[in-house]
Amino acid sequence: MAAGSQVQRASGVALWRQIADRIRASIANGEYDETGRVPPEIVLATQFGVNRHTVRSALAALAQEGIVRAVQGLGTIIERKERLNFPISRRTRFIEGLGAQARETEGLLLESGAEPASEDLAQRLRLAEGAPLIRLETLRKADGRPVSRATAWFPASRFAGIDEAYRNSGSITAALNALGLSDYLRVTTEITASHAERADMEDLGLSAGAVLLVTRSLNADTKGTPIQYSVSRFPADRVQFTIEN
Amino acid sequence: MAAGSQVQRASGVALWRQIADRIRASIANGEYDETGRVPPEIVLATQFGVNRHTVRSALAALAQEGIVRAVQGLGTIIERKERLNFPISRRTRFIEGLGAQARETEGLLLESGAEPASEDLAQRLRLAEGAPLIRLETLRKADGRPVSRATAWFPASRFAGIDEAYRNSGSITAALNALGLSDYLRVTTEITASHAERADMEDLGLSAGAVLLVTRSLNADTKGTPIQYSVSRFPADRVQFTIEN
DNA sequence: AGAAATTTGTGCGTATGTATG
DNA sequence: TCATACATACGCACAAATTTC
């Protein structure tokens, strides 16, 4: 591998951040599993074609995120290397999808409110423009670590009180159940990716430049009537999706 | 909205790049469709809480990418705002998936070669470790614009000559056909996202810090025997995936 | 126990990139 | 265009902690 072939100077993204992103990805891919440690700073510096100080800045950022821990004289130890897998299917459920990957999950209601349907939302939910909606802003965690920030809209006429039901149960499925809807299905899922915005960064505990996987999904009841449209943001270094056919 | 609430200083990502990323995303989301223009520089500067120079750097980067064009006295005009949609299903095909979204598509063979199966690849393709594989490095374009860089592996014993077949047809489906395989199905798709590495940036015509959607997919023949494993990288600002249930 | 090798931690001077006004 | 302030990156040197022999 040519030295310095992996990072770009004067690109608006600091070298230390590019390198931090690549080391984080390598950890998630299990490339350092044999030793449980990141290669020595001087080795990384040579690989990336940069000064050791620059590698140290990258490792400091990862230490800040709790991913590695540097020990003088020993090396830089990998503390965490999880990547959660979310199966996407007709019956996508957040908690069940995680299965045995997390011991404990929780859903927090950050905010809720009423708002009229925009043109876009009205069309997706098959409502009239301006129809009353309830919006939930939620943060979902697995084993205490944030794994998604979601914004969900429900028709207010049918799902009054869903905010309270969610706050009590920490689960959309349970909240809908409490309101008398026993089953629902995923109609469509759109997947995109982008950089995290500041609010999401803070809620998800990310640093600037972090990459998000974004899903926009529509759920409907068993008769096909739309019941929920939601936009969920997942940290790309902690999460992947699978589609099984 | 609080001024400056959207961008972060001293984060390893230059303000001009953060702002360029956000404007690019806004264009892709259709937020400026009414005027067909980006808001005036001074307005953007106020919105983001930065100096006008900084906004100008961001717009210059977008102009370099061919997304906007600044006209003195008029404003900054949006040149391109497409986001191609790829449906993912059991019968995922690159060209057919694009449907009417592109007038013309092509597939270029950048490189091909033989290599023994790694432990990971052997397991996925249900072969012995070290079994001979053919690797294709391809670049796919729609209407002349690169939309994906893919690396695909095939069992060499069954698909000798697939490199030539792909070079001639520019299509995996056509190449497999030429080798006597009339149909195949998608078994699994894993979706992740990350920052672009340098080689992909160059092939896809991206600037540093660009976000990629990455799919890892396994295809099998109609009897369920794995025939192909591939890793495809898509520029996240030009592409989205949909899963229809 | 002790010396050598390895690895992280720290300081300082300099050059360039980023952002403001 | 220019001047200013701060962030980023480099090069060199040496200190401190840990492992190896």
Side-chain angles (χ1 to χ4, degrees):
Chain A
M1 172 174 42
S5 65
Q6 308 293 326
V7 288
Q8 267 209 349
R9 285 152 208 273
S11 61
V13 184
L15 293 180
W16 64 264
R17 172 152 294 288
Q18 297 179 52
I19 290 167
D21 290 337
R22 292 183 44 85
I23 296 174
R24 195 193 298 103
S26 293
I27 292 172
N29 290 338
E31 290 174 30
Y32 305 137
D33 280 4
E34 286 185 24
T35 56
R37 285 185 235 167
V38 168
E41 294 167 355
I42 190 68
V43 173
L44 291 169
T46 311
Q47 271 177 19
F48 289 114
V50 301
N51 192 274
R52 191 166 72 98
H53 282 307
T54 309
V55 169
R56 285 180 58 74
S57 298
L59 291 174
L62 295 179
Q64 186 67 32
E65 295 175 35
I67 293 174
V68 300
R69 179 171 50 94
V71 179
Q72 199 172 142
L74 213 176
T76 303
I77 298 161
I78 295 168
E79 294 272 273
R80 256 192 300 106
K81 64 147 294 225
E82 86 286 26
R83 182 171 252 170
L84 294 172
N85 183 43
F86 286 85
I88 295 182
S89 73
R90 201 164 159 70
R91 296 193 52 81
T92 297
R93 302 286 188 273
F94 179 80
I95 293 172
E96 297 164 23
L98 281 177
Q101 298 177 76
R103 291 185 310 282
E104 170 259 324
T105 60
E106 56 181 325
L108 300 172
L109 183 63
L110 300 183
E111 191 194 328
S112 67
E115 63 181 50
S118 66
E119 186 185 342
D120 181 51
L121 279 171
Q123 197 191 338
R124 292 180 193 269
L125 288 167
R126 282 202 255 140
L127 298 171
E129 193 173 336
L133 299 179
I134 299 174
R135 192 187 82 242
L136 304 188
E137 300 286 347
T138 65
L139 178 67
R140 293 180 283 198
K141 297 186 179 185
D143 293 335
R145 307 243 315 144
V147 290
S148 89
R149 256 295 274 114
T151 306
W153 290 269
F154 301 82
S157 53
R158 186 169 174 189
F159 297 106
I162 187 135
D163 45 351
E164 267 312 305
Y166 184 88
R167 196 195 311 275
N168 294 334
S169 63
S171 154
I172 295 281
T173 305
L176 289 169
N177 255 302
L179 295 179
L181 185 80
S182 60
D183 196 19
Y184 63 95
L185 297 173
R186 178 72 61 101
V187 180
T188 60
T189 307
E190 294 175 1
I191 301 177
T192 58
S194 68
H195 284 121
E197 294 182 14
R198 180 161 182 149
D200 286 340
M201 279 168 36
E202 287 175 1
D203 291 334
L204 293 169
L206 302 174
S207 46
V211 175
L212 294 183
L213 275 165
V214 181
T215 64
R216 293 184 173 77
S217 58
L218 181 69
N219 285 325
D221 62 21
T222 48
K223 291 178 184 164
T225 307
I227 59 164
Q228 175 202 8
Y229 182 74
S230 60
V231 180
S232 304
R233 288 88 75 195
F234 302 80
D237 61 323
R238 287 180 213 161
V239 168
Q240 71 172 8
F241 302 133
T242 56
I243 299 126
E244 310 268 346
N245 291 307
Chain B
M1 171 174 43
S5 66
Q6 308 292 326
V7 288
Q8 268 206 349
R9 284 152 209 268
S11 62
V13 184
L15 293 181
W16 65 263
R17 173 151 292 287
Q18 296 180 53
I19 290 167
D21 289 338
R22 292 183 44 84
I23 295 174
R24 195 194 298 103
S26 293
I27 290 172
N29 290 339
E31 289 174 30
Y32 305 137
D33 280 3
E34 288 184 23
T35 57
R37 284 187 238 166
V38 168
E41 293 170 358
I42 188 68
V43 173
L44 290 169
T46 311
Q47 270 177 20
F48 289 114
V50 302
N51 193 279
R52 192 166 77 97
H53 286 309
T54 309
V55 169
R56 285 180 59 76
S57 299
L59 292 175
L62 295 178
Q64 184 68 30
E65 295 177 35
I67 293 174
V68 300
R69 179 169 51 93
V71 179
Q72 218 172 85
L74 212 176
T76 303
I77 297 164
I78 296 168
E79 293 273 274
R80 257 191 299 107
K81 66 145 294 229
E82 87 284 29
R83 184 171 250 172
L84 293 173
N85 184 43
F86 285 86
I88 294 182
S89 72
R90 201 163 160 69
R91 296 192 52 82
T92 295
R93 301 287 186 274
F94 179 81
I95 294 172
E96 298 164 22
L98 281 176
Q101 298 176 77
R103 291 186 309 282
E104 171 260 322
T105 60
E106 57 180 324
L108 301 173
L109 182 63
L110 300 183
E111 190 194 329
S112 67
E115 63 180 50
S118 66
E119 186 186 342
D120 182 49
L121 280 172
Q123 197 191 338
R124 292 182 194 268
L125 288 167
R126 283 204 255 139
L127 298 171
E129 193 173 336
L133 299 179
I134 299 173
R135 191 187 81 240
L136 303 187
E137 299 286 347
T138 66
L139 179 66
R140 293 181 284 199
K141 297 186 178 185
D143 293 336
R145 306 241 314 142
V147 290
S148 88
R149 257 296 275 113
T151 306
W153 290 268
F154 301 83
S157 52
R158 186 168 175 189
F159 297 107
I162 187 133
D163 45 352
E164 267 312 304
Y166 184 87
R167 196 194 310 276
N168 294 333
S169 62
S171 153
I172 295 279
T173 306
L176 289 170
N177 257 301
L179 295 178
L181 185 80
S182 59
D183 195 18
Y184 63 95
L185 297 172
R186 179 71 62 101
V187 181
T188 59
T189 306
E190 294 175 2
I191 300 177
T192 58
S194 67
H195 284 120
E197 294 183 13
R198 178 158 185 154
D200 287 338
M201 279 168 35
E202 288 175 2
D203 293 333
L204 294 169
L206 303 173
S207 47
V211 176
L212 295 183
L213 276 164
V214 181
T215 65
R216 292 184 173 79
S217 58
L218 180 69
N219 285 325
D221 62 21
T222 48
K223 290 179 182 163
T225 308
I227 58 165
Q228 176 202 7
Y229 182 73
S230 61
V231 180
S232 304
R233 289 87 75 196
F234 302 79
D237 60 325
R238 288 181 212 160
V239 169
Q240 70 172 9
F241 302 131
T242 56
I243 298 126
E244 310 269 345
N245 292 308

